Amino acid sequence: MPLLFVQGSAGEVDVYVNDTLLGTTKARESLVTTVPLGIFKLKVTPVGDASKSLIDMVGFAPGLTLGVVGLTGPADKLSLDYSLSSSLTADKFFAGQKTGDLVAFDTLVKAINVAKLNDVLAGPGPMTIFAPTDSAFATLDLAALDKLLADPAAVGDLLKYHILTSTVTYSDIASLAASNGSVATLQGASMPFTFASNIMISGTLNPLLMVNIHLSNAVVHVTGTVLMPSAK
């Protein structure tokens, strides 16, 4: 089962996983537990007061994955940095997550196979991948999606736009958005990051569902939208 580390904050708080008290964090200390594959619940409360939630969220643990939750700041101003890591390469990670209740990449895997990008995703990296879920692809017109998946060059061009040729974490994305920055993609075009009430990536407002999934050769950010390059 995947391991979950909860790294301590500057203040003491109680940490619950799936409604079971894991323990009390202390500054610069960590709690560790196993979580089931798939969905799990994480709740952080003041010490001894389970009725008040400081953080209440749902997490997702893929197979062979180590989760790290960093709690920073005092209890009254608690912030959370959540990331996952796996020894898998990107091609194997997506193939292993083709189906799932929360996150599924069946359409993405089909597109990768059509575009013959498995060798790229198995390569040494580094790279950053914005990974649309099946639900993201389902928002596209069905006829257009079928046409796309029948055209290796077109689907390859689209997928390469979702791959950055450097490591870009969520913290980097926030900094890029604040400065209206951009990063080169494997497709050749640059992906723009801006801010307008929230982070915008390639003109899409806050498309991120999960961030900072650290694989052996890539960082993956899961998106609820298929990102489109600007018209040339």
Side-chain angles (χ1 to χ4, degrees):
M1 297 178 74
L3 289 174
L4 179 72
F5 281 87
V6 182
Q7 297 178 341
S9 69
E12 295 187 1
V13 291
D14 285 344
V15 178
Y16 292 80
V17 175
N18 289 337
D19 298 321
T20 298
L21 178 63
L22 174 60
T24 301
T25 66
K26 298 180 180 179
R28 295 177 296 280
E29 294 184 3
S30 297
L31 301 172
V32 62
T33 186
T34 57
V35 292
L37 294 173
I39 299 170
F40 67 91
K41 293 192 297 181
L42 174 73
K43 185 169 74 170
V44 180
T45 73
V47 175
D49 184 6
S51 65
K52 182 179 180 181
S53 294
L54 302 173
I55 292 173
D56 195 352
M57 60 167 279
V58 173
F60 177 76
L64 301 176
T65 296
L66 172 71
V68 178
V69 177
L71 303 174
T72 58
D76 60 341
K77 296 181 180 179
L78 198 64
S79 62
L80 179 146
D81 179 20
Y82 181 64
S83 66
L84 300 167
S85 62
S86 171
S87 61
L88 296 176
T89 54
D91 61 320
K92 290 183 172 60
F93 172 76
F94 292 126
Q97 300 299 322
K98 287 176 61 176
T99 61
D101 294 331
L102 185 65
V103 175
F105 295 118
D106 185 54
T107 305
L108 178 60
V109 170
K110 289 178 182 176
I112 290 168
N113 290 333
V114 169
K116 294 181 169 51
L117 288 179
N118 280 295
D119 287 346
V120 171
L121 298 183
M127 60 186 129
T128 300
I129 304 168
F130 291 92
T133 63
D134 283 354
S135 296
F137 279 105
T139 64
L140 302 179
D141 176 77
L142 182 59
L145 179 59
D146 288 343
K147 182 178 179 180
L148 180 69
L149 292 174
D151 187 337
V155 74
D157 198 53
L158 180 62
L159 292 185
K160 288 176 183 177
Y161 183 72
H162 287 72
I163 303 173
L164 308 183
T165 55
S166 57
T167 298
V168 178
T169 65
Y170 181 72
S171 177
D172 297 325
I173 290 173
S175 297
L176 285 162
S179 61
N180 291 329
S182 61
V183 179
T185 70
L186 189 62
Q187 182 240 24
S190 290
M191 181 176 288
F193 299 84
T194 55
F195 191 91
S197 77
N198 208 323
I199 290 172
M200 297 187 72
I201 302 176
S202 196
T204 300
L205 185 65
N206 192 26
L208 300 173
L209 300 178
M210 296 178 65
V211 299
N212 291 354
I213 301 176
H214 294 271
L215 307 179
S216 65
N217 63 344
V219 174
V220 173
H221 306 297
V222 180
T223 68
T225 305
V226 178
L227 303 175
M228 298 292 181
S230 302
K232 297 179 181 180

